[in-house]
Amino acid sequence: MQPNSSQKLKIVTLVSVGKHPQSGRVRRADQDSRAVELGLRLSADQADGLVVLHAGDPNEPSLRSYAGMGLTAINVLQLDPAADAVAPLGEQLHQSGADIVLTGVRAESGEGSGMLPYQLAEKLGWSIVPRVADIVSVKEGVAEVLQALPRGQRRAVKVRLPFIASIDTAAPMARQSAFGPAQRAAMTVTVVNAETDTLRQSWHEAVAKKRPKRLKVIKAKTAAERFKAATAKSQSEGGRIMKQESAGEQAQAILDLLVEEGVLR
Amino acid sequence: MIFEWLHPLLIATALLLAVIGAVRRVKLWRAGQPDQVDLMAGLMAMPGRYLHDLHDIVERDKYMSRTHAATGGGFVLSALLIMLVHLLGIDSQILAWALLASLALMFVGALFVFKRRLNPPSRISKGPWMRLPKSLLAFAVGFFVLTLPAAGVLSDGFMSQVGGVLLTLVLTALIIWGMGELFFGMTWGGPMKHAFAGALHLAFHRRQERFGGGRSTGLKPLDLSLATEVGGVLGVAKPTDFKWNQLLGFDACVQCGKCEAVCPAFAAGQPLNPKKLIQDMVVGLAGGSDAKYAGSPYPGIEVGNAKGGPNQIITDGLLAPETLWSCTTCRACVEECPMMIEHVDAIVDMRRFLTMEKGSTPNKGAEVLDNIIATDNPNGYAPASRTHWAADQNLPLMRDVKQAEVLFWVSDGAFDMRSQRILRAFVKLLKAAKVDFAVLGDEELDCGDVARRLGDDATFQNLAKRNLAVLSQYKFSKIVTTDPHAYHCLRNEYNDFGSDALNGVEVFHHTTFLNSLVQQGSLQLDPFIGGKVTYHDPCYLGRYNGEYEAPRELLRSMGIEIAEMERSGFRSRCCGGGGGAPITDIPGERRIADMRMEDANETGAELVAVGCQQCTAMLEGVVEPRPQVKDIAEILVGQLVDPTANGLAKEVH
Ligand code: SF4
Ligand code: SF4
């Protein structure tokens, strides 16, 4: 990543309240914290280059775990829990003069429809790049972005600033959240009025359950066969067949893979 | 004649310089944080502590204890008498003879120091320490000759008559050399600093409970309000963030390397050497570099590049974070240290800064901490699945029964299949002995051990308080657990949080509890037939809690004659599993668990008995062929007579 040096980038990351899949406890959301991570990396050479924005309750404890990543402040648009956050967020982003807005793909709690980035983009008239794994560079008002595709593939796209990117779980892991900075960060609160999301009020929320899967009957006699059957699917996928290349290149490819997989350090 | 004024003047000068040095040194220590110690009481108790507590540790090495008693005792006595005889000029033959005698004692001691230094083991530091025996000899010889006239052995005129100027010069040189080392060097950072700082360290030790045979192993809670205080920092970032008496403690180090010799991380070639660590803290508190350090390095890190100062961040240049993360918190170093220095406290203090301020716990550290915070267990399993292991065990829940004689603290072993075998074995024994017990079920949380050792004291305190809140709802007189880490936390570290949940409650390790059941005759055991057995002392049971006997007695009660490893009891070598070390996983040249299994192999044992699920996991991780590894509870279940089988059968009907 080589952030633009000639021009100061203004990056805003939107964060929401996450929910741990096993315990259901509030936490920093996985994708949102990756978005904070990416924002921090992009603005690493600028003091306070990253603005982190949340719409909701400024006393929400999970905000502190975002702050623990080294944020000095989090801007909170304080609004009624029943309010629709899209309008005030759009307003705020419009005024802020942001170049890049980072969000998660979808929230871990609440509606979790994944619509927010699209609605904001529509409202602001910006481009949206979904499922971003990395922002490689920003030069002369154009960003080179890597989108995450299934099975570890990437697609490089160029997009003109300003734009919204939703960050995929393929983006770099969020740094550790430390207790000290988390406690110290300021919550800069702006009270806003927003329309109540009336549609949502009539909904009934329930815990999502994975649909049960029909078990495949495997007629394997040995453990090895069962193991093969269980793992067979991914065998032929991915990878590379190297026949023409020199032995050196082939060895290098193997070495690279081992390093990449963390087998060698 | 020049003697009359020259030597008293020299002595006075040396003493004055020593006093100036002492004031400067004290200032360096006082730059640390305040700590509550009773200064007067400490000073009064100091001689006794030297003679008992410190000497008891030195006494493990008879040669050294005698040598030190002669040299140190001779020197202290000589120094006092020198002041009387030569500085104040008290003309008394008795005093002079006493001085001669004490110098002779010192001389003999110094000869033995000299002898030991002829072919020194690698653990002890060389450098200035190599000249110490010679300085001691110079001091003793110089003052001996100087005292002869006062004792009436030689006439006053002897010097001027016989040796004349030459003898005077030689004598003066010896005295200056001797006093330079022993008076001046004592407070200006020479090897003799250990006497000055060591004595005061005994007086003002941060863990006064250790004296008089006591034990004090629980980590001190961190004041979390520091986070939001102006200029506050969590943990130790700079040397001055240590308590002042911790700084004093570092200065007491004699670089004997006893800690280095027992450190499992050092032996495994990980970048940690507790002796060097303490010396680096001295560099930090005084400012400078480690260029003069003359001992073994941190494995894989060259000596000479570390720089620090009282107000510089320690991990920026003085110490690599990997050094701190290599420690298993096994306390072997603390147990061996003759100066009673607290390495583990210092290491965890610095880890707290790295975790709670920098957010840089290495490898799986961050993930494990996140899991503990979100799910109350290190692997992120659903909290509601905590009792799945006992689905077929029909265990009474505290939530239902409200009270029981024994609360069985299951620990996070509940989530691990291997540990579950130990838990099942223990439950079977409890049932066989008809113990009235209950478990907390899903209300039990991780005890906080790992979080605390990884430097996250906020998470530890949070877990401790929540666990205590649960415990306070129920009535029980004993807690028993199969996990020495939980045992240690519950017994030694949960008392700092103002809860009365554990008032009047005794906390037991399962081996202690089972042993009492066996001794009472509540459990009948068949003799064990099946080869040689050795026993591995878990650090958190042995060194942390002093329980060496119960597990051994249990084994003996099955007719097992334990083939002890060379390093056992308080000298037991760690399995490598403590202090979050398997999580931070700092690379070394060997694995600690392999070395421990090597120890076991040397006894020819076919079975290693342990009393800890973490040790079991570490030792079973060693590649075969190797002896079997079993928790004592598992061995006991195998030998149980009077059958739970019948008992169980009845239940089933
Ligand atoms: S810390 Fe203790 S054991 Fe280690 S070298 Fe110093 S005095 Fe010896
Ligand atoms: S506690 Fe154990 S691992 Fe840590 S420094 Fe001391 S001896 Fe080494």
Side-chain angles (χ1 to χ4, degrees), chain B residues 252-259 275 278 333 336-339 341 343:
Chain B
C253 172
V254 287
Q255 302 196 39
C256 64
K258 295 250 156 101
C259 51
K275 175 174 88 173
I278 298 301
C333 49
E336 287 295 336
C337 179
M339 305 309 280
I341 294 167
H343 312 66

Side-chain angles (χ1 to χ4, degrees), chain B residues 156-216:
Chain B
D156 274 354
F158 171 77
M159 301 280 177
S160 40
Q161 286 162 16
V162 190
V165 184
L166 186 64
L167 183 59
T168 311
L169 281 181
V170 171
L171 208 52
T172 309
L174 284 179
I175 287 172
I176 291 180
W177 178 9
M179 289 197 304
E181 185 79 271
L182 287 145
F183 291 159
F184 176 76
M186 183 175 307
T187 60
W188 289 81
M192 281 304 290
K193 182 187 69 181
H194 81 273
F196 168 56
L200 294 178
H201 178 50
L202 285 182
F204 309 136
H205 200 282
R206 190 162 175 238
R207 292 177 178 273
Q208 302 270 326
E209 310 86 342
R210 282 188 68 190
F211 299 111
R215 197 173 292 277
S216 167

Side-chain angles (χ1 to χ4, degrees), chain A residues 20 22-23 25 28 176 180 184, chain B residues 227 356-357 361 373-374 376:
Chain A
H20 193 275
Q22 295 298 331
S23 66
R25 233 174 264 172
R28 56 176 175 160
Q176 189 174 357
R184 281 190 282 271
Chain B
M356 300 181 73
E357 291 290 358
T361 324
I373 291 169
D376 305 320

Side-chain angles (χ1 to χ4, degrees), chain A residues 13-256:
Chain A
T13 298
L14 305 183
V15 296
S16 62
V17 179
K19 198 168 184 176
H20 193 275
Q22 295 298 331
S23 66
R25 233 174 264 172
V26 296
R27 62 161 185 176
R28 56 176 175 160
D30 179 57
Q31 292 167 346
D32 293 8
S33 48
R34 286 173 200 262
V36 173
E37 176 67 41
L38 192 57
L40 284 170
R41 290 184 188 204
L42 285 172
S43 56
D45 52 348
Q46 305 166 199
D48 285 326
L50 176 70
V51 173
V52 174
L53 185 60
H54 172 72
D57 177 6
N59 294 319
E60 166 55 45
S62 61
L63 292 182
R64 292 272 162 209
S65 45
Y66 291 107
M69 296 171 71
L71 311 174
T72 45
I74 292 182
N75 293 354
V76 183
L77 301 179
Q78 185 173 9
L79 36 81
D80 190 87
D84 190 348
V86 175
L89 277 175
E91 187 62 24
Q92 178 79 15
L93 291 175
H94 180 70
Q95 282 168 13
S96 71
D99 297 305
I100 303 177
V101 173
L102 306 173
T103 72
V105 172
R106 69 171 75 230
E108 293 175 356
S109 60
E111 216 168 295
S113 64
M115 286 297 287
L116 183 96
Y118 292 94
Q119 287 171 332
L120 285 176
E122 182 184 33
K123 205 170 172 64
L124 294 164
W126 297 0
S127 329
I128 159 128
V129 190
R131 297 214 168 263
V132 167
D134 202 357
I135 295 179
V136 185
S137 69
V138 184
K139 277 193 205 95
E140 281 133 27
V142 176
E144 198 187 327
V145 178
L146 288 184
Q147 271 185 307
L149 302 178
R151 269 178 250 111
Q153 298 181 76
R154 299 286 183 267
R155 179 199 289 137
V157 291
K158 286 204 167 120
V159 56
R160 185 159 293 283
L161 303 181
F163 69 99
I164 296 184
S166 71
I167 304 302
D168 189 83
T169 19
M173 268 246 291
R175 65 193 62 186
Q176 189 174 357
S177 174
F179 181 83
Q183 298 304 302
R184 281 190 282 271
M187 295 292 154
T188 318
V189 182
T190 321
V191 182
V192 290
N193 283 319
E195 270 178 52
T196 307
D197 189 343
T198 43
L199 191 64
R200 205 175 128 197
Q201 272 185 323
S202 60
W203 294 352
H204 172 71
E205 243 180 74
V207 181
K209 278 203 192 111
K210 269 208 180 109
R211 209 176 296 153
K213 244 196 270 168
R214 187 177 292 276
L215 280 178
K216 260 187 284 170
V217 181
I218 296 161
K219 291 194 194 91
K221 288 215 175 66
T222 65
E225 280 172 27
R226 272 193 297 277
F227 181 74
K228 219 169 161 191
T231 54
K233 207 175 113 198
S234 57
Q235 263 181 0
S236 57
E237 285 161 358
R240 200 141 65 96
I241 298 168
M242 299 174 80
K243 280 187 184 151
Q244 258 72 59
E245 286 80 349
S246 73
E249 280 173 72
Q250 291 172 345
Q252 186 61 41
I254 294 173
L255 189 64
D256 288 349

